[in-house]
């Protein structure tokens, strides 16, 4: 049972300009240009503009959303992984690393979710930046499966950790972060009830999950679904013909009502298995947002409604 690469959370107060004088000058120039632009445009924001915003880089768009909910106007958040892209295999181009270098807070999940990004983060993160691993130390399933946020109760813990990290980096904003987090946590409590109610609307014998990748053990445990199978353990690996045949057989023998693909993956194998077994192909979101599902709340709400629609049966 490997723990993968763990990066320690550090809060050193070294001056970031020690890292690279050149990049520091570039950052300074960019900051001056931004300030000049802000002045020229009369300033869009209330407050004193860009100099006071806390720059944050998150690995996933999902985590960017959580930081934005808590940070509001006081933060400027970018994501390393573009929407609709698979985090497990993504390697960012230099253009996306610029903001990572400027970030005061870097937010990642940990537990090897960002295996292809850990090196990039380690090499480019400012030495004075804080690294927040959202899943660190939480109770995990299946030997450290990283997808904890698909249980909203874990999502709420992520939000609390983001609140505390922002308050520590920017103590002047602590009250605002606390108020924003309180409001958002209230929204997530309601969301958790919605997901619970959606799954409870499904007859117990139909609460079965077949998905593309192994992203849903926390959804299953949190809301009472049975994990029946998936196409790949980890994205980037092709399933063998035998594995696909086994999956098709499982779908039939378990009387699985529908299978779920994830929008960021082309799931031809799942389409074929579903066609052979004669069941519908539906969608569940896991790691990636897109133009249809733009926030964490929208993601979980979509999943709840899709589970109820595709597994619910509605009598027929
Ligand atoms: Zn995943």
């Amino acid at each position: 049972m490997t723990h993968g690469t763990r990066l320690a959370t550090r809060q050193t107060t070294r001056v970031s300009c020690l890292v690279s004088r050149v990049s520091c000058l570039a950052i300074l120039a960019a900051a001056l240009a931004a300030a000049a632009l802000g002045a020229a445009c009369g300033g869009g924001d209330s407050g004193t503009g860009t100099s006071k915003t806390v720059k944050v880089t998150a690995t996933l768009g999902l985590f960017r959303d959580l930081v934005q909910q808590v940070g509001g106007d006081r933060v400027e958040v970018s994501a390393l992984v573009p929407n609709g892209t698979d985090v497990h295999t993504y390697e960012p181009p230099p253009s996306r690393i610029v903001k990572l270098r400027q970030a005061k807070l870097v937010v990642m999940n940990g537990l090897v979710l960002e295996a292809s990004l850990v090196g990039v983060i380690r090499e480019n993160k400012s030495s004075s930046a804080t690294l927040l691993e959202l899943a660190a130390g939480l109770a995990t399933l299946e030997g450290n499966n990283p997808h904890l946020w698909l249980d909203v109760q874990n999502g709420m813990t992520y939000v609390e950790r983001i609140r505390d990290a922002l308050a520590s980096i920017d103590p002047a904003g602590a009250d605002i972060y606390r108020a924003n987090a309180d409001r958002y946590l209230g929204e997530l409590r309601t969301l958790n009830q919605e997901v619970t109610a959606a799954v409870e609307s499904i007859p117990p014998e139909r609460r079965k999950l077949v998905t593309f990748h192994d992203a849903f053990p926390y959804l299953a445990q949190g809301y009472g679904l049975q994990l029946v199978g998936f196409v790949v353990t980890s994205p980037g690996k092709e399933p063998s013909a035998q594995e696909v045949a086994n999956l098709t057989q499982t779908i039939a023998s378990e009387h699985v009502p529908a299978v779920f693909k994830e929008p960021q993956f082309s799931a031809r194998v799942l389409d074929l298995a579903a066609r052979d077994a004669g069941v519908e192909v539906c969608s569940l979101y896991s790691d990636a947002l897109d133009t249809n599902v733009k926030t964490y709340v929208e993601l979980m709400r979509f999943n709840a409604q899709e589970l109820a629609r595709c597994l619910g049966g509605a009598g027929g």
Side-chain angles (χ1 to χ4, degrees):
M1 204 175 291
T2 60
H3 287 256
T5 313
R6 280 284 288 277
L7 300 182
T9 301
R10 288 207 192 104
Q11 282 179 269
T12 59
T13 48
R14 293 240 307 278
V15 179
S16 62
C17 295
L18 289 175
V19 176
S20 160
R21 206 165 283 274
V22 173
S23 69
C24 198
L25 285 172
I27 291 164
L28 185 64
L32 287 171
L37 190 66
C41 299
D45 298 331
S46 56
T48 47
T50 52
S51 65
K52 287 193 87 173
T53 57
V54 179
K55 291 192 166 61
V56 184
T57 288
T59 51
L60 293 185
L62 267 174
F63 306 150
R64 175 181 56 197
D65 174 45
L66 301 186
V67 174
Q68 194 70 65
Q69 296 291 342
V70 176
D73 292 344
R74 292 185 77 88
V75 298
E76 183 189 319
V77 204
S78 61
L80 266 177
V81 182
N83 280 351
T85 306
D86 172 35
V87 59
H88 298 271
T89 52
Y90 181 71
E91 291 173 20
S95 60
R96 293 192 90 88
I97 293 171
V98 174
K99 292 201 165 165
L100 168 62
R101 299 173 80 112
Q102 299 171 352
K104 276 234 172 298
L105 173 64
V106 178
V107 178
M108 64 188 291
N109 186 75
L111 298 174
V112 206
L113 178 79
E114 299 99 337
S116 62
L117 299 173
V118 167
V120 170
I121 291 170
R122 191 192 292 121
E123 284 160 27
N124 293 283
K125 182 180 86 63
S126 160
S127 61
S128 65
T130 298
L131 179 66
L132 173 62
E133 275 190 82
L134 294 168
L138 300 183
T140 58
L141 299 171
E142 290 185 1
N144 287 339
N145 187 298
H147 306 86
L148 280 84
W149 64 87
L150 291 167
D151 178 341
V152 176
Q153 307 221 49
N154 286 327
M156 294 173 75
T157 303
Y158 283 18
V159 168
E160 290 164 358
R161 290 179 163 191
I162 289 166
R163 174 198 63 200
D164 295 346
L166 285 174
S168 155
I169 290 164
D170 175 25
D175 287 348
I176 292 167
Y177 299 136
R178 195 170 301 114
N180 288 347
D182 284 350
R183 174 197 51 75
Y184 187 52
L185 288 167
E187 204 179 320
L188 295 187
R189 263 188 289 279
T190 304
L191 176 69
N192 193 46
Q193 289 162 1
E194 280 178 42
V195 182
T196 302
V199 175
E200 281 174 356
S201 77
I202 302 166
E205 72 278 7
R206 295 173 64 95
R207 295 175 191 168
K208 293 180 174 174
L209 278 185
V210 171
T211 62
F212 180 72
H213 90 297
D214 185 15
F216 299 95
Y218 301 93
L219 183 81
Q221 179 183 273
Y223 303 101
L225 295 148
Q226 185 193 342
L227 279 183
V228 172
F230 44 81
V231 178
V232 294
T233 315
S234 186
K237 289 176 193 158
E238 280 295 309
S240 69
Q242 187 59 52
E243 285 170 326
V244 176
N246 290 348
L247 184 65
T248 305
Q249 193 169 10
T250 304
I251 292 168
S253 65
E254 289 276 338
H255 304 291
V256 174
V259 300
F260 296 90
K261 61 169 141 187
E262 297 152 63
Q264 77 272 33
F265 298 111
S266 80
R268 198 177 52 85
V269 166
L270 197 55
D271 289 335
L272 293 175
R275 191 192 304 159
D276 288 351
V279 301
E280 189 184 357
V281 179
C282 299
S283 296
L284 282 180
Y285 283 82
S286 52
D287 310 343
L289 301 174
D290 63 17
T291 49
N292 296 317
V293 166
K294 298 187 192 72
T295 65
Y296 175 61
V297 169
E298 287 181 11
L299 179 150
M300 290 304 302
R301 188 166 287 146
F302 177 95
N303 284 355
Q305 291 169 356
E306 188 77 343
L307 288 167
R309 182 179 76 82
C310 296
L311 301 181

